[in-house]
Amino acid sequence: MIEDKMVSVIIPVFNVSDYLEKCVLSVIKQTYKNIEIILVDDGSTDGSLQLLMNYADKYPIIRVFTQTNKRQGAARNLGLRSARGEYVWFVDSDDRIEP
């Protein structure tokens, strides 16, 4: 059954500190609870990484990874290599998703 399967939500992040809260909270508020959130900072210079670390401290379902700026595709690939879920969902860091 799908209810037993973990979903890895991968969010690449690069200089989007103004959008992060709405994005991350929209994933946390999902009605499906068997999720992990993988936040991959791609060398942000605007304080995004500190925000990600704050979310990881507050929510145990969040894991944060960092890399030098290699672009969105490389950030997604790092997230994929780190994912534990059977299913993967990519969310852009300036998006919000409905429950």
Side-chain angles (χ1 to χ4, degrees), residues 79-98:
L80 277 174
R81 287 191 302 273
S82 306
R84 299 177 187 153
E86 187 163 339
Y87 297 98
V88 174
W89 185 0
F90 291 107
V91 175
D92 290 335
S93 54
D94 59 349
D95 290 341
R96 290 179 295 185
I97 55 176
E98 293 295 320

Side-chain angles (χ1 to χ4, degrees), residues 14-63:
F14 180 73
N15 290 343
V16 288
S17 61
D18 292 342
Y19 306 100
L20 276 176
E21 182 176 16
K22 288 180 180 177
C23 176
V24 172
L25 290 179
S26 77
V27 178
I28 289 170
K29 292 179 180 179
Q30 290 304 298
T31 56
Y32 188 84
K33 296 300 181 188
N34 194 10
I35 65 171
E36 69 171 349
I37 303 170
I38 298 172
L39 301 169
V40 181
D41 181 74
D42 190 37
S44 294
T45 58
D46 70 342
S48 291
L49 179 57
Q50 185 57 51
L51 292 172
L52 300 182
M53 301 306 287
N54 292 344
Y55 296 133
D57 287 343
K58 188 172 181 179
Y59 301 100
I61 62 170
I62 292 178
R63 295 189 297 142

